[in-house]
Each structure stands twice: as structure tokens, then as C-alpha cells.
């Protein structure tokens, strides 16, 4: 699994790729929470997520809750089909702010 | 204040002597090549001790002769050999004491032969033996004090000290050389063991019907097992134990193994294979060596095994709780060729969903006569590991024996032949840790495909199993070490996945899906499992296990 961050228009785009499972979700969580503590607007690019489990979803939920408390932007963008399937199973597809593309997420 | 006057210099002669001893001792200690050091040292010693000539004699271990290995002075006597005798050098060595002969003409032991050959005139001699404890290594001999005088008591003490440190250096150098030689031997033995291990069949996927394990009591083994795929889809297998241990046994094992590989594909049936190996061994083996061996053929399609046994430990057929010894057999191979002239009888049996265990007597003998494992012991040791995939089961059994402090007196080899018709399509054991989850998912996908699980359902089932494994890792083991077995079975109706762990029993009332309206991290996993699978239940775990979780899904049924 890989986590890559880049800054675009003052927001941080965090691109996750590969398998976000119990082995790797702690580093995803830490990465996102560090950005949340800095109150940075974040767009998570999920186009290349092949797999995500409950621990990966939990990391996203935690970051989302923090963003909401802080009033900062936290958007899941370009969600791959396997990741979307898991979000739907968790019925969280209606909870998160979603965007079809990273660009749309940045403009939201 | 009165200052006590203290001499800050030693008497000149004593200081020089101490310098010489210190220098030579340091040279000896540093030396990589002690005889070379002695050659250089002898010149130094002679000059400093004002001798006209000097020789160093070392004891030659093969002959017991004293041979001159280094000398200094007007004549070269290197190579001079002194057979055990009465000369002054021998006297010093025999008495293990320094000999001071002020005038050789007074000493009846002095041999004039060397002087006669070399033209050197020996007036006085100082000879110190080199020895460490009781081991006599040789002697240092000085000739004629320069200026016409003779050696004195001080010279004697100095040479004695030098000889003692030279002796220590010599013995160190010899021990180092012996150790280096042993290292070479050890490397060669390790290489032989490597080659031998390479002759054993490679590890197969756990679902393969035949597995074996071999543990050598020493570097090389007299045991072997092998599996050969035959053209008709059947599998030929063998286990054998060569009499004796060490290199001889290993070489005979290599020969037997090659014969089996070659003959199993050509001859019809295990009896014919054993008879042919016997004929070959009886003709060419060294006397007193023999081989106990079982050859067999498994027909995976029918679960039928045909065996031939030549003097080997009877195998065990385990079917449910029933254990049967398969006692039929012949004497060992390689003893009398006539024994197998009529071939070797075969026994045929049905595995009936069970497994056949073959082992060498390393297993039944481990621990010595008092605690012989015996066939019953093997059965008892197998019981707590029955649910494990075959390779892990064999490893658990063997490590159990080693951990119990039973010494491995003989090589230990075990082979299991299973009925793959009733076996799970996936049967794997993993370490219960997050790093194993990716491997579990990788193994699950093709197994689900093979069972005909619809492609859109596969990722959901993989997620559900992953989540259930996470629960085992995080909750059942609580982050501690342990193992996790994943078994996948199924047919057109039902997909049946079983997760077995060895953790303390889980309190099932604590396992419930979270309320989805409560958006909290965590607790999602159980919800995933229940959403995807049709049946989720804890069953009574098999003996030795902690928990058994069954996850089932109706095949072709509508997804959630």
C-alpha cells in the first residue's frame, strides 16, 4: 500500500493505492489525523484502492469526524469500485462527502 | 621531607634479559606462522645471548624424532634428525629440564657425530625443552658462549623462559590449525547435508495429498522420503531408513533414493519397485548395510493406496477416531537377494477420508527406550494437531517431540498421505498477525473461483473472511502470538468456510454487529461478516483448538 500527498490550491490531496487493510490502516490513520490536527482541507484520492477493510474505513471515519468538528473539508474522491462496495456495505456512502474526481473534490 | 631513594634501573644484564623475553614473547604471541617466527627468533636469541650457534628442534609427531627446524650460526643443520636417544637435546626433552653443559668433553651423553660432520667444535651447550603440561614439543639449543666462556645460570633462566613462551605459542598455532581443518570438514559436511536436502521433494501446497518432513539427527541423514508423479495421475511415494548413521548411511540413502525415482516411473506397482531395489542393493552394497523401506501408490481419484513394506515400521491408517497399524511386510532390503525373488507382496486400502502416516523409527525411538513413543505414542501426539493442514501438522508433531526434550537419537522422517477427495479446497495455517491478511486474501480468491462462487460475490466473501480473521487476531489472541487455520469447502449449494484458532475460547455474547446509526470507528467488521455471509456460528472446536468459527454462504443465492 502507498500513501502519497500533494498540495493543490491550498488543499492536500492524499492518494491511497493498493490494499488498505489492518496491516496498513494505522499509517493511513496517522497520516490523515496529522493533517486534521493541522486543520488542512483534505481530498482523499481513492481511485487506486484495490481493497479496504473495516479498519481502513474506520481511519476515514475518524478523520471525517475530526474534520466536521473543525469545520474543515474532508472529501473522498474518485472512489474505486471495490472501495465503493465496502462503503455501501457499511452504509457510509451517504455519510461521507464524496466527489467523482479529485478536481471536483478540490472545487467542492 | 625525606625522599626515599629507590633505584629506577635494574642491573644492566637483567634488564637486557627481560627485554629479550618481552620482545620474543610478543613476537610469538603475534605470530601467524610460528615456525617462521622461530627461524627469525633464533638469530635474535643467539645474538643477544652471545651464542656462536643455535638450533631449534621440534618433535615430529609421526616418528617421534626430534628434527631441526631452524638454526643459526656458521653451519646449517636444518633437517637434522635425532632419533630417540641419549644426546643432550634428548636428555633435556626426556627430563623436561634445561641442560647446561659447561664443557662437552666432560659429558658422556654429548655426541661428537654432528661436530665431525660439520667441522663445528662444540665446547659448551645450553638446551631448554619446549613443553606445555605433559606435551613435549621440542627444544632450543645454544652452542658456545662467545669469547670462549661458557653459559651460566642466568643464561639458563632466560632460555628456560623463552622456551616456555615459544612452547605456548607453538601449541596455540597448532590448535588454531586443527580448528581451521575442522572448519573445512564441517563445511564439507554441511555441503553434503545441503545436497541431500535437495534430493528431498520440494514443499507442495498444503492441499497436495502427500507431504513429508525430515529432520536429520546429525548433519547428514540416512532417511529419505519422496513423491513421484506418475503418468496416469497417480502418485508414487516412499519412505526409507538406511541402517547406520553418518556419511555411509547418507551415501546408501542417496543411491536408494535415485533407484526409487527411476524405478517408480517404469515398474508396475510398489512391490515390483521394492524387489528391483533389493536386487540392486544386494548386488552392490557393502556388507552389513540394509534399508527398511515402504513404497506406495496413491490413486487420488479413488482414495486408494497400495503399499509394499520391506522391514519398515508399520504405517498408521487414521480414519476418524480409528487408528489401524498396517502390519503386512517383508524383511529389509539389501540383505539376501533371494528373499525378493518372487517380488514383494502389496497391501491395498481405502483412505475413506482419512490419512495414512508413515514414519522412520527416529520418531518411535525418540527419547530412548524408557520413553519410546511407539505407534500409540505417535497416534496420541497426532491427536491435538489433526485439524492442521498436513505440512503444519507434521511440523507441529516433530517440534512437539523436540520441545519435550526428547533427544533426537536417530533421523526423523514422517510422510502423510491424505484423501484429497474429502479435503478442503483450501486448507492453510497462518500466523495470527495483520501481515498474514494479504496472504489469506490472495489464497481465498482462487479457491472461491474454483468452487464456482460468482465473481461479484468473491470480493464480499474475501472481505468477510478477512474481517473474521481480524477478530481472531485482535480479540481472540488480543495481539498475542498464535496460529490461524483457514479452511474452504463447498459445493453447488453451499460455501463453507471454517476459521480455527488456538486462542482461549471467545465469549460469544460479546460478538455482535454494531448499530449502524452510530457512526463510530470500529465494530464494523462483524457487521460486514453478517451482511455478506448467510450463516455465522461458533462450532465446538476440534481437540487441541481454541475456537472454530463457521461462515457459510448459499451459492447462487441473492447477495445482500
Amino acid at each position: 500500500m502507498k500513501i502519497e500527498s500533494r498540495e493543490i490550491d491550498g488543499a492536500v490531496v492524499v492518494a491511497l493505492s493498493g490494499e488498505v487493510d489492518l496491516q496498513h490502516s494505522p499509517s493511513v490513520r496517522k497520516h490523515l489525523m496529522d493533517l486534521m490536527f493541522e486543520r488542512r482541507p483534505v481530498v482523499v484520492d481513492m481511485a487506486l484502492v484495490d481493497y479496504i477493510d473495516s479498519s481502513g474505513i474506520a481511519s476515514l471515519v475518524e478523520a471525517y469526524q475530526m474534520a466536521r468538528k473543525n469545520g474543515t473539508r474532508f472529501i473522498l474522491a474518485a472512489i474505486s469500485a471495490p472501495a465503493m462496495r465496502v462503503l455501501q456495505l457499511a452504509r457510509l456512502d451517504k455519510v461521507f462527502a464524496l466527489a467523482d474526481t479529485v478536481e471536483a473534490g478540490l472545487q467542492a | 621531607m625525606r625522599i626515599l631513594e629507590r633505584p629506577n634501573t635494574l642491573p644492566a644484564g637483567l634488564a637486557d634479559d627481560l627485554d629479550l623475553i618481552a620482545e620474543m614473547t610478543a613476537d610469538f604471541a603475534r605470530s601467524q606462522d610460528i615456525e617462521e617466527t622461530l627461524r627469525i627468533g633464533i638469530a635474535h636469541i643467539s645474538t643477544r645471548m652471545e651464542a656462536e650457534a643455535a638450533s631449534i628442534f621440534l618433535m615430529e609427531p609421526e616418528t617421534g624424532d626430534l628434527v631441526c627446524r631452524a638454526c643459526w650460526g656458521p653451519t646449517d643443520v636444518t633437517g637434522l634428525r635425532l632419533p630417540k636417544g641419549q644426546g643432550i637435546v634428548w636428555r633435556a626433552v626426556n627430563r623436561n629440564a634445561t641442560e647446561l653443559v659447561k664443557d662437552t668433553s666432560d659429558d658422556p651423553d654429548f655426541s661428537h657425530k654432528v661436530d665431525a660432520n660439520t667441522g663445528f667444535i662444540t665446547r659448551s651447550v645450553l638446551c631448554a625443552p619446549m613443553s606445555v603440561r605433559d606435551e613435549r614439543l621440542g627444544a632450543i639449543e645454544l652452542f658456545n658462549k662467545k669469547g670462549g666462556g661458557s653459559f651460566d645460570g642466568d643464561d639458563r633462566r632466560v632460555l628456560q623462559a623463552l622456551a616456555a613462551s615459544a612452547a605456548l605459542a607453538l601449541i596455540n598455532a597448532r590448535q588454531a590449525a586443527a580448528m581451521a581443518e575442522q572448519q573445512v570438514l564441517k563445511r564439507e559436511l554441511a555441503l553434503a547435508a545441503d545436497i541431500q536436502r535437495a534430493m528431498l521433494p520440494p514443499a507442495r501446497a498444503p492441499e497436495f495429498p502427500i507431504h513429508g518432513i525430515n529432520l536429520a539427527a546429525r548433519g547428514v541423514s540416512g532417511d529419505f522420503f519422496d513423491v513421484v508423479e506418475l503418468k496416469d495421475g497417480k502418485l508414487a511415494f516412499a519412505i526409507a531408513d538406511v541402517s547406520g548413521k553418518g556419511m555411509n548411511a547418507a551415501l546408501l540413502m542417496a543411491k536408494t533414493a535415485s533407484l526409487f525415482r527411476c524405478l517408480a516411473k517404469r515398474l508396475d506397482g510398489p512391490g515390483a519397485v521394492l524387489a528391483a531395489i533389493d536386487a540392486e542393493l544386494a548386488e552392490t552394497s557393502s556388507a552389513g548395510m540394509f534399508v527398511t523401506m515402504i513404497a506406495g501408490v496413491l490413486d487420488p481419484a479413488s482414495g486408494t493406496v497400495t503399499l509394499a513394506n520391506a522391514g519398515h515400521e508399520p504405517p498408521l491408517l487414521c480414519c476418524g477416531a480409528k487408528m489401524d497399524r498396517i502390519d503386512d511386510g517383508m524383511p529389509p532390503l539389501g540383505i539376501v537377494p533371494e528373499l525378493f525373488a518372487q517380488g514383494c507382496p502389496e497391501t491395498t486400502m481405502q483412505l475413506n477420508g482419512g490419512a495414512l502416516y508413515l514414519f522412520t523409527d527416529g520418531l518411535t525411538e525418540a527419547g530412548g527406550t524408557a520413553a519410546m513413543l511407539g505407534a500409540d505414542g505417535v497416534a496420541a501426539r497426532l491427536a491435538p494437531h489433526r485439524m492442521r493442514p498436513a505440512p503444519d501438522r507434521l511440523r507441529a508433531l516433530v517440534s512437539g517431540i523436540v520441545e519435550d526434550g526428547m533427544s533426537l537419537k536417530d533421523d526423523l522422517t514422517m510422510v502423510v498421505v491424505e484423501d484429497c477427495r474429502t479435503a478442503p479446497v483450501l486448507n492453510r495455517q497462518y500466523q495470527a498477525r495483520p501481515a498474514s491478511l494479504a496472504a489469506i486474501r490472495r489464497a481465498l480468491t482462487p479457491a472461491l473461483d474454483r468452487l464456482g462462487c460468482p465473481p461479484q460475490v468473491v470480493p464480499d466473501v474475501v472481505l468477510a473472511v478477512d474481517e473474521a480473521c481480524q477478530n481472531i487476531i485482535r480479540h481472540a489472541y488480543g495481539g498475542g502470538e498464535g496460529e490461524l487455520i483457514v479452511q474452504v469447502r463447498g459445493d453447488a449449494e453451499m460455501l463453507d468456510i471454517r476459521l480455527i484458532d488456538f486462542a482461549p475460547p471467545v465469549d460469544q455474547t460479546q460478538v455482535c454487529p454494531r448499530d449502524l446509526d452510530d457512526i463510530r470507528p470500529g465494530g464494523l467488521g462483524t457487521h460486514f461478516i453478517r451482511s455478506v455471509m448467510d450463516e455465522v456460528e461458533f462450532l465446538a472446536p476440534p481437540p487441541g483448538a481454541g475456537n472454530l468459527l463457521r461462515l457459510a454462504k448459499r451459492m447462487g443465492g441473492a447477495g445482500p
Side-chain angles (χ1 to χ4, degrees):
Chain A
M1 202 220 59
K2 268 203 312 214
I3 309 171
E4 283 170 323
S5 281
R6 59 185 198 277
E7 274 207 47
I8 299 177
D9 304 336
V12 182
V13 175
V14 179
L16 304 179
S17 57
E19 302 188 314
V20 187
D21 69 354
L22 186 61
Q23 165 92 337
H24 300 108
S25 58
S27 55
V28 172
R29 180 186 173 276
K30 173 154 194 329
H31 195 92
L32 293 177
M33 291 310 279
D34 286 348
L35 291 170
M36 293 302 112
F37 281 119
E38 293 169 18
R39 298 177 180 251
R40 305 290 299 272
V42 167
V43 175
V44 184
D45 178 356
M46 298 181 64
L48 297 176
V49 173
D50 301 320
Y51 179 81
I52 187 163
D53 71 352
S54 65
S55 71
I57 297 288
S59 308
L60 297 177
V61 168
E62 209 179 335
Y64 164 75
Q65 288 173 323
M66 181 92 164
R68 212 167 60 156
K69 215 168 67 189
N70 293 342
T72 51
R73 193 157 31 131
F74 183 82
I75 291 170
L76 306 184
I79 301 166
S80 68
M84 184 53 92
R85 169 68 183 151
V86 178
L87 280 175
Q88 284 165 349
L89 268 179
R91 289 177 221 151
L92 287 169
D93 51 327
K94 303 281 185 289
V95 175
F96 285 110
L98 308 183
D100 287 341
T101 62
V102 172
E103 291 69 32
L106 287 167
Q107 281 155 23
Chain B
M1 190 163 70
R2 268 180 46 179
I3 293 170
L4 279 173
E5 280 214 2
R6 221 170 36 174
N8 56 3
T9 50
L10 293 164
L14 182 54
D16 286 349
D17 293 345
L18 284 179
D19 280 351
L20 177 62
I21 292 169
E23 279 166 32
M24 293 312 302
T25 306
D27 280 356
F28 289 146
R30 264 199 303 270
S31 173
Q32 297 291 321
D33 178 352
I34 193 65
E35 292 197 15
E36 178 61 24
T37 309
L38 287 178
R39 263 190 286 283
I40 299 164
I42 186 81
H44 196 50
I45 293 170
S46 310
T47 316
R48 293 286 292 268
M49 294 189 67
E50 298 178 315
E52 284 180 5
S55 304
I56 288 181
F57 288 89
L58 293 182
M59 181 90 75
E60 195 178 67
E62 299 81 24
T63 57
D65 292 349
L66 284 168
V67 179
C68 179
R69 302 300 289 267
C71 67
W72 184 85
T75 56
D76 186 358
V77 291
T78 308
L80 177 68
R81 182 174 289 272
L82 303 176
K84 201 169 177 71
Q86 298 300 312
I88 292 170
V89 185
W90 268 109
R91 199 167 75 201
V93 168
N94 282 335
R95 292 183 183 167
N96 200 19
T98 305
E99 293 288 328
L100 171 56
V101 179
K102 292 192 172 175
D103 186 348
T104 52
S105 58
D106 289 346
D107 194 310
D109 281 342
F110 179 72
S111 161
H112 295 273
K113 223 161 62 188
V114 179
D115 277 7
N117 284 338
T118 61
F120 186 83
I121 297 160
T122 305
R123 296 188 312 274
S124 67
V125 171
L126 180 62
C127 183
M130 293 188 288
S131 68
V132 173
R133 285 176 294 277
D134 287 337
E135 191 171 352
R136 288 167 191 202
L137 303 168
I140 304 178
E141 192 176 27
L142 303 184
F143 305 94
N144 300 355
K145 188 91 173 178
K146 274 181 190 161
S150 81
F151 298 106
D152 59 15
D154 285 346
D155 294 328
R156 177 195 201 124
R157 278 188 290 277
V158 171
L159 193 65
Q160 202 166 336
L162 285 171
S165 80
L168 272 174
L170 262 174
I171 209 108
N172 275 344
R174 285 184 187 171
Q175 276 168 356
M179 261 166 71
E181 197 174 325
Q182 244 179 7
Q183 285 296 320
V184 171
L185 273 177
K186 239 182 169 167
R187 266 201 299 278
E188 279 175 3
L189 201 65
L191 190 64
D194 278 351
I195 292 170
Q196 209 177 22
R197 262 192 297 280
M199 294 181 75
L200 295 174
R204 305 277 196 152
E207 297 78 19
F208 190 77
I210 304 178
H211 294 273
I213 192 166
N214 167 265
L215 207 67
R218 302 172 185 201
V220 290
S221 173
D223 282 5
F224 89 93
F225 71 92
D226 203 358
V227 182
V228 177
E229 285 174 58
L230 305 179
K231 280 191 192 121
D232 51 5
K234 293 178 183 173
L235 297 166
F237 58 91
I239 187 168
D241 184 356
V242 173
S243 65
K245 297 179 181 69
M247 208 44 111
N248 276 351
L251 287 172
L252 186 54
M253 167 266 172
K255 181 176 176 179
T256 311
S258 313
L259 283 170
F260 173 75
R261 278 237 127 217
C262 162
L263 294 169
K265 288 183 189 167
R266 294 191 189 157
L267 298 178
D268 193 21
V273 171
L274 289 192
I277 292 176
D278 176 69
E280 189 62 34
L281 291 185
E283 216 171 276
T284 56
S285 294
S286 53
M289 293 195 78
F290 56 89
V291 180
T292 71
M293 181 165 179
I294 296 175
V297 172
L298 167 71
D299 180 4
S302 63
T304 311
V305 171
T306 307
L307 284 185
N309 187 346
H312 201 83
E313 189 77 22
L316 285 178
L317 179 60
C318 302
C319 213
K322 231 175 88 200
M323 290 260 186
D324 289 317
R325 276 161 58 104
I326 312 295
D327 269 323
D328 312 326
M330 292 280 285
L333 304 173
I335 296 178
V336 201
E338 298 83 60
L339 278 175
F340 288 86
Q342 306 303 315
C344 180
E346 294 177 349
T347 312
T348 298
M349 69 208 70
Q350 262 297 322
L351 291 178
N352 275 332
L356 180 73
Y357 292 91
L358 306 96
F359 35 90
T360 62
D361 54 7
L363 191 60
T364 46
E365 273 174 3
T369 44
M372 287 264 254
L373 268 172
D376 292 341
V378 173
R381 284 185 169 272
L382 260 174
H385 303 301
R386 292 272 292 268
M387 84 298 285
R388 293 183 195 265
D392 304 284
R393 195 185 318 146
L394 294 181
R395 261 196 301 278
L397 186 79
V398 166
S399 63
I401 290 167
V402 177
E403 270 165 30
D404 282 0
M406 294 180 137
S407 63
L408 202 57
K409 297 175 78 180
D410 199 348
D411 306 326
L412 199 162
T413 303
M414 192 164 192
V415 170
V416 58
V417 181
E418 292 186 308
D419 193 347
C420 54
R421 297 171 309 162
T422 52
V425 293
L426 183 75
N427 190 10
R428 301 279 167 100
Q429 179 174 300
Y430 300 92
Q431 288 301 310
R433 52 175 79 128
S436 302
L437 293 167
I440 293 173
R441 296 194 299 269
R442 285 298 164 273
L444 275 171
T445 304
L448 295 171
D449 286 344
R450 214 173 321 139
L451 284 174
C453 188
Q456 71 278 14
V457 178
V458 170
D460 287 357
V461 175
V462 170
L463 176 69
V465 175
D466 182 314
E467 296 290 349
C469 292
Q470 288 187 39
N471 285 344
I472 292 172
I473 294 168
R474 295 209 284 192
H475 305 306
Y477 282 113
E481 287 283 300
E483 289 138 350
L484 160 64
I485 296 170
V486 181
Q487 296 180 339
V488 180
R489 294 178 178 79
D491 51 31
E493 302 285 303
M494 192 70 120
L495 178 65
D496 183 302
I497 297 169
R498 287 166 194 232
L499 302 179
I500 300 165
D501 66 57
F502 302 87
V506 167
D507 179 359
Q508 291 162 39
T509 59
Q510 296 294 305
V511 184
C512 53
R514 75 174 175 92
D515 181 357
L516 278 182
D517 298 328
D518 174 18
I519 305 173
R520 253 187 326 103
L524 257 181
T526 308
H527 165 69
F528 286 164
I529 300 167
R530 293 198 187 267
S531 312
V532 171
M533 306 305 288
D534 294 313
E535 291 169 29
V536 181
E537 56 181 341
F538 280 97
L539 301 179
N547 299 285
L548 165 54
L549 180 67
R550 175 175 171 270
L551 308 172
K553 186 168 178 64
R554 279 184 292 279
M555 296 283 252

